[in-house]
Structure formats: structure tokens, C-alpha cells
Amino acid sequence: MNGQTFHSVTLDPAKCTGCTTCIRYCPTEAIRVRKGRAIIMDERCIDCGECIRACPHNAKKAVSDPLAAMERFNIRVAIPAPTLYGQFDEKFTIDRILSALKGLGFDQVLEVAWAAELVSNAGALSVDQRQCKGPMISSACPAVVKLIQVRFPSLIENLMPIQSPMEVAARLIKERFYPGRADVGVFFISPCAGKVTVSRYPQGVKTSAVDGVIGIKDIYVPLRNTLPGTVELPLAHASGRGIAWAHIDGESDAVGNPAGISVSGIADVISVLEALENGKMANVAFIEALACPAGCVGGPLTVENPYIARARLRARERRVVSRGHRQPPVAADDLELGWEEPVQAREALRLHPDMLKAMIMMEEMEVIHASLPGLDCGSCGAPTCKAFAEDVARGHVVITDCIFKLRENVRKLAEQLIDMERIQPPGLDKD
Ligand code: SF4
Ligand code: SF4
């Protein structure tokens, strides 16, 4: 969505030293350092959280809702991401974790992993019936969807037009459990900053059914403290197929298309999307693409090492088979899961809305870029010389913000002064 002003990922100016580390990691070149502090360009940020991981001074953070936000509602429902289960030792069953979560003040808990099974069925059908050229790309990771909107708009038609498991779980609560009630608050328990943003600026639906997003790290300690004494209730319904969505390969396996591939980590996702744009994915039917390392288990709002969390989840996936089948918590086979509206390109990288002016600016940018040293040193506050040239062409900075151009100008000025110093007034010039 263009004009977006809210982002979960934000800067704490008091902690930022202007070290420029983060500018090199941002996949959309959304960060600049100006006047000794980082700034995030709203229109480019995809809330991937890379800068949170990269900052050595903890100056970047993901803003989410506090647990107390549920107090605004009479009926409070938690919809936890399956990543939550991987944060705790396997001696605590999923029933126990869900019961402890309910004990924090929620009236009901519904697993997003269960909604993920519904989405997997719809996704499998969508891949089989796809109309687009090339593979379908999962739309479950909001950062990947935004990455495509900003950097790969030609691939928007490949996005799977199916609502996310989070959205489906929230809608089930509002439409099937409490229809017509306005006092129900649904809170997603999230591993990721992108979900906070997408609950306010939804993708594929007009309005999100999610009322708040609480970071896993913000409820981890109270949950861990209450788990040992919690009485287990039979709250878990998801099979391993839904739980596996928390890590890489989970959605691919659940969709079940043998011509699917999985990729995680924003740099590798970009490589795969570039390959797809260059026509190198002819035999692929489906791409599961997750921005965080190892999938949602690597989200910036988690606590546990992603690889430990994934191993725990795999063990849990095997264990739920022995738990046996439980009836679905609600009938949902007739729920419409398709997108309500298309996802649009975000023209954040376009130089000017007018094509002619954009071409003139592009030429200007190329001339400026050619005059720069090409060291990508970052001392100008931009991630690369090319990005700096773009900033100059856009009028955001001046060319002498490049230390090398400044030195070049000073040298030229000094030479001119020396030349001028040699010039004699006509009355004294004996030649
Ligand atoms: S990495 Fe970025 S946000 Fe962190 S201190 Fe350095 S410039 Fe500031
Ligand atoms: S969240 Fe991602 S896109 Fe946004 S500024 Fe940080 S690294 Fe860049």
C-alpha cells in the first residue's frame, strides 16, 4: 500500500550512533544516515527486521502491542503462531503451552497452525489451477509480499491470492465463534514485525480481523514461569502439517506439490526472485519464500535460537501423530479464503511519476554515479554510490556529501586560489 506511515520496525534515536552498519543490510535500501542518525524511508521499508538483527547498538526495534492491550475488549482471544511452540522444551506439550497462554487472561485460544491447514488445502488447489506464467509464490510472509511490491512488481501476478493463516484464524473467531459481536479482541502472538504492520495495513483483505499483535518475546517470561504449574486443557487441534508452517519447508510440504522449492533469509529470497524474473524457474510450480532465517522461527520477536526451535517443532510434529485426531474446533470448509482485493505495486523506487521526467532523472543519476569513486564506503550515509547518486538526483542531498567529491572540489578551489595568487594587477604586471 502506498502512503503507508506506520511501520513496526522503528529507530531509537538515543541509541543510534550513526555507525552505518544497518544501511548495508537493508534489502530495499530504505535506510540512510543523516546528521549522525539513521533514518528509515517509510515508503521503502518492508518490515523485514534485517536492520534489527544487524544493529550492534540495539537501536532498531519492532514495536508490538503490550499484553495489557487486550483490556480494551470484553472477550479476548489469542491466536498464537506455531513458532511459539518451538520456544519451549518439548516436555511441555502444546496443550500445556496453549493452556498457559489462556491463563494469561484470554477467554479463548485458537491455533494459527490449524488455520494454516485450511490455507494449505486452498494453496494446493491454487497451485494446481494457476494461471500465471511460472510458479506461484507463497503470500504468507508479509515482508516477502512487500519485497515483491517494492523490488519485483513484475512478480505480483505470481503471488498466491490466498489469505494468511493469521487472517483466517482471526476471521474464524469473529465470524464463526462470536458472529455480530463488536467487543471481541483477537490478538496474534507473533514471531515477526511484519505481522504487526500487516494487521494495520493488510495485504489482500480490506480490513484485518486482527485487533492486536503481541510479540512472542513479550510474553515469553510470564508463560515460562506459569508453564510448570498449568493444568492442561485439550486446546490443540493442529496436526504436524500446520505446525510445520513455523519453519522452512513446512508450507511446501503442506501444499504437497513435488515441484515446489523453499527459500528463507532475505538475501536468498532475493536471489531466487531475481532468478525467477530472469526466467530461470521453468520447472518450478511453487515457491515458499520466508524473509527470516530458517523461517518464522528466525523472526525478530522470538527468543529461542531458530535452529533449536525448528528441531523442537519437528519433534512436536511427530508427537502430535501419537496424540491422535481431535475434532476440528469449528466447521470451516465453506470459508472463502481468497484475497478480497489485489496487492498493488509500491512505486517507492520509481524516480518520478512522470515517465519522461523519470528518464531525465535516470540519466542524471547515471552521470553522477559515473563521477563517484565506486567504493560504496557508506560515509555519505547511503548504502552504495549508486544509491547516493539517486539521492542527489532526487534532490535529497548534495554531491559534496560524498567526502571524495568534497575533497575534489576543495582541491580544485585550492588550485584556483594558487592561480589567482599568481595574477598581478595590470599596473604591476611587468610582462
Ligand atoms: S546500525 Fe544503524 S541504527 Fe544501529 S547504531 Fe548503526 S546507524 Fe544507528
Ligand atoms: S525493516 Fe528491513 S526494509 Fe525496513 S529499514 Fe529495516 S532492513 Fe530495511
Side-chain angles (χ1 to χ4, degrees), residues 59 99 103 109 117 257 330 343 348:
S99 303
V109 173
E117 293 176 36
N257 192 301
V330 66
V343 161

Side-chain angles (χ1 to χ4, degrees), residues 11-12 15-23 31 33 36-38 51 54-60:
L11 174 83
D12 181 347
K15 289 186 181 169
C16 178
T17 63
C19 70
T20 73
T21 305
C22 57
I23 62 174
I31 310 173
V33 173
R37 296 279 180 276
C51 55
C55 177
H57 304 283
N58 295 320
K60 293 262 176 47

Side-chain angles (χ1 to χ4, degrees), residues 83-103:
T83 304
L84 180 70
Y85 314 149
Q87 309 302 299
F88 300 102
D89 191 283
E90 292 131 71
K91 73 182 178 196
F92 298 117
T93 64
I94 294 175
D95 276 335
R96 177 82 70 103
I97 295 168
L98 296 174
S99 303
L101 179 60
K102 192 163 183 271

Side-chain angles (χ1 to χ4, degrees), residues 7 9 22 25-31 39-41 44-52 60:
H7 285 280
V9 176
C22 57
Y25 289 86
C26 177
T28 53
E29 298 186 337
I31 310 173
I39 53 165
I40 300 175
M41 296 148 85
R44 290 189 180 207
C45 177
I46 60 170
D47 289 287
C48 65
E50 281 299 298
C51 55
I52 299 176
K60 293 262 176 47

Side-chain angles (χ1 to χ4, degrees), residues 1 32 71 120 156 163 168 183 195 197 219 233 268 285-286 325 327 344 346 365 368:
M1 184 172 187
R32 299 290 186 273
E71 286 163 17
S120 306
I156 284 180
Q163 294 172 32
V168 170
D183 58 348
K195 292 288 191 193
T197 306
I219 56 160
L233 302 166
D268 287 341
F286 173 65
H325 175 72
Q327 288 299 318
Q344 309 282 357
R346 290 167 72 187
M365 186 181 130
I368 297 165

Side-chain angles (χ1 to χ4, degrees), residues 349-361:
L349 304 187
R350 200 161 158 178
L351 287 167
H352 198 283
D354 181 311
M355 185 62 85
L356 187 62
K357 286 186 179 152
M359 284 169 66
I360 293 167
M361 285 172 76

